């Protein structure tokens, strides 16, 4: 398909094309008269743009619906070809990899997931990603060369080129040129983002933060992370390390996150979700050591989140990650933020749950395509 904008070098032509294409995508199957009215452009201009978009494969004449016969020749209708290309959103996690597939409108048409051992090497984990994608494309009947962009959500501090500068959650992840490695598997752009950042984008797109542009998403766990949108735009910080609240325990605290939930003298492994779940189950049964451990964990979490809230002053805090389903997380967080903040933010649970990271990664891919299609304004996730 080449350049999604048709390759026309004229700025005015590109702007007109973006305006008409945006109207087409929003309207379903409008006529030329509809497009002229909606865009404010002249009919000859709209007609010329539509013909160009049809030649590029992005627009097709819509088939007339049955039972709509009228006297005389019916007006031609057109639609945006969402099937003209496809997008992938991939989550790479400690225990699984997951992928979402969509057309050019971002609507999910397929999903796949595979479990992976927490001790798997980087090569093994990436092979699992490739297998998940191959299986998903096969089941959806989508050829690989139809992919126009791939978004990836990964633990760690991710640089602009997709290199993981620091990633302690996965073996062999620090220094991994993740973007480069994945680009070998796809003949399209690959955009890699920190998982909490991707989840924040997802909640803003389809989740709990759709009604606000200033939001903090907390990936709650033994070593929590956070992603933030400020004024509707993803805030990565100068080096991509914004939101690494899991490092706050280094500021003179005696107890490491791994010991917070331990009911013995041995620290828990950050990725041992079964051991973590056991502590919370014991706390619900009233075990005093487990209850004390859970209280320590929640207190640390709310202090970490409060530090970020004081710095950013968001309207909303969304809690996700495995701790989002735990009893007693939201009320202490609300109470603590009320103590420290002049204007406490709203606090809610993630609406997307475990799909948040892959959904945000899909939004990264969609942003890339929209920037090509519309090429007039920057997207939420565009890097500086």
């Amino acid at each position: 398909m080449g350049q999604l904008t048709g390759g026309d070098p004229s700025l005015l032509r590109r702007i007109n094309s973006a305006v008409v294409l945006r109207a087409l995508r929003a309207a379903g199957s409008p006529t030329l008269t509809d497009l002229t009215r909606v865009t404010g452009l002249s009919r000859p201009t709209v007609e010329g743009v539509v013909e160009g978009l049809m030649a590029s494969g992005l627009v097709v004449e819509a088939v007339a619906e049955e039972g709509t016969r009228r006297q005389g020749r019916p007006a031609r209708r057109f639609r945006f070809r969402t099937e003209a290309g496809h997008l992938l959103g991939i989550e790479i996690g400690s225990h699984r990899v997951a992928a979402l597939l969509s057309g050019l409108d971002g609507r999910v048409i397929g999903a796949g997931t595979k479990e992976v051992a927490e001790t798997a090497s980087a090569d093994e984990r990436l092979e699992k990603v490739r297998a998940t994608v191959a299986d998903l494309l096969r089941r959806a009947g989508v050829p690989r060369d139809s992919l126009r962009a791939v978004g990836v959500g990964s633990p760690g501090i991710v640089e602009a080129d997709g290199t993981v500068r620091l990633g302690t959650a996965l073996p062999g992840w620090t220094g991994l040129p993740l973007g480069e490695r994945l680009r070998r598997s796809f003949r399209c752009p690959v955009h890699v983002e920190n998982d909490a950042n991707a989840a924040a984008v997802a909640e803003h797109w389809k989740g709990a933060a759709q009604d606000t542009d200033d939001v903090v998403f907390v990936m709650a766990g033994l070593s929590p992370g956070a992603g933030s949108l400020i004024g509707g735009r993803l805030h990565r910080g100068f080096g991509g390390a914004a939101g690494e609240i899991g490092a706050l325990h280094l500021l003179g605290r005696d107890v490491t996150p791994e010991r917070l939930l331990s009911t013995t003298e041995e620290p828990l492994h950050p990725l041992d979700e079964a051991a973590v779940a056991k502590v919370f189950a014991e706390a619900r049964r009233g075990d005093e050591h487990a209850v004390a451990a859970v209280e320590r964990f929640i207190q640390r979490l709310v202090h970490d989140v409060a530090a970020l809230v004081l710095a950013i002053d968001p309207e909303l805090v969304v809690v996700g990650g495995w701790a989002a389903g735990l009893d007693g997380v939201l009320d202490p967080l609300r109470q603590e933020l009320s103590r420290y903040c002049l204007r406490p933010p709203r606090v809610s649970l993630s609406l997307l749950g475990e799909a948040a990271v892959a959904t945000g990664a899909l939004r990264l891919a969609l942003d890339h395509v929209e920037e090509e299609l519309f090429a007039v304004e920057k997207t939420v996730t565009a890097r500086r």
Side-chain angles (χ1 to χ4, degrees), residues 163 171 222 259:
T163 298
L222 283 186
R259 290 188 179 277

Side-chain angles (χ1 to χ4, degrees), residues 39-367:
T39 63
L41 300 173
S42 69
R43 186 180 179 91
T45 296
V46 170
E47 192 166 7
V49 170
V50 169
E51 292 298 329
L53 291 171
M54 292 179 70
S56 73
L58 287 171
V59 172
V60 68
E61 191 166 349
V63 178
E65 297 180 6
E66 294 184 8
T68 58
R69 293 181 181 178
R70 296 181 181 177
Q71 290 185 346
R73 184 179 179 181
R76 298 172 69 195
R77 292 183 175 275
F78 306 89
R79 70 173 179 85
F80 174 56
R81 291 188 66 236
T82 61
E83 71 275 18
H86 294 86
L87 312 172
L88 270 178
I90 300 172
E91 174 195 3
I92 303 177
S94 57
H95 295 91
R96 71 168 198 161
V97 297
L100 297 176
L101 177 69
S102 81
L104 293 180
D105 57 355
R107 294 183 182 179
V108 174
I109 60 174
T113 182
K114 289 187 183 297
E115 293 184 359
V116 60
E118 67 183 52
T119 57
S121 68
D123 287 343
E124 291 170 329
R125 204 172 297 274
L126 290 178
E127 185 56 39
K128 191 71 72 170
V129 170
R130 297 185 187 98
T132 302
V133 170
D135 181 61
L136 173 57
L137 294 178
R138 179 187 55 78
R139 287 187 287 105
V142 171
R144 185 175 289 266
D145 60 8
S146 177
L147 294 175
R148 301 300 172 203
V150 176
V152 181
S154 164
I157 298 172
V158 180
E159 297 182 347
D161 65 354
T163 298
V164 181
R165 180 155 57 92
L166 178 63
T168 57
L170 304 180
W173 223 243
T174 295
L176 179 70
L178 182 57
E180 178 185 327
R181 293 284 299 273
L182 290 175
R183 289 181 193 106
R184 300 173 190 172
S185 301
F186 303 103
R187 295 181 180 178
C188 65
V190 175
H191 298 268
V192 184
E193 187 57 80
N194 167 266
D195 53 0
N197 285 350
V201 169
E203 293 291 341
H204 184 256
W205 182 30
K206 292 187 174 184
Q210 293 180 70
D211 61 345
T212 178
D213 286 340
D214 293 277
V215 57
V216 165
F217 175 90
V218 180
M219 186 77 76
L222 283 186
S223 183
S228 305
L229 270 68
I230 301 175
R233 294 183 62 79
L234 185 61
H235 177 68
R236 296 181 177 88
F238 179 75
E244 292 295 325
I245 57 177
L248 288 175
H249 73 278
L250 299 174
L251 301 180
R253 293 176 174 175
D254 295 330
V255 183
T256 63
E258 292 78 11
R259 290 188 179 277
L260 283 174
L261 275 174
S262 175
T263 58
T264 67
E265 294 297 320
E266 295 298 320
L268 298 181
H269 191 284
L271 302 182
D272 192 347
E273 294 181 0
V276 171
K278 181 180 178 182
V279 173
F280 278 91
E282 291 173 347
R284 284 192 293 270
R285 289 194 294 268
D287 180 272
E288 62 180 76
H289 296 293
V291 169
V294 170
E295 289 178 351
R296 290 196 300 267
F297 167 79
I298 292 177
Q299 190 68 15
R300 174 69 61 83
L301 178 64
V302 297
H303 282 171
D304 289 348
V305 175
L308 190 57
V309 167
L310 285 169
I312 293 180
D313 185 30
E315 180 182 353
L316 173 68
V317 172
V318 179
V319 180
W322 60 259
L326 303 178
D327 296 334
V329 170
L330 293 192
D331 284 343
L333 183 54
R334 291 188 180 107
Q335 293 167 8
E336 202 74 4
L337 295 180
S338 296
R339 287 180 57 197
Y340 293 117
C341 303
L342 294 176
R343 190 206 54 77
R346 292 185 289 119
V347 180
S348 70
L349 291 177
S350 165
L351 292 183
L352 298 174
E354 65 178 10
V357 176
T359 300
L362 183 64
R363 180 70 238 190
L364 295 176
L366 181 60
D367 275 352

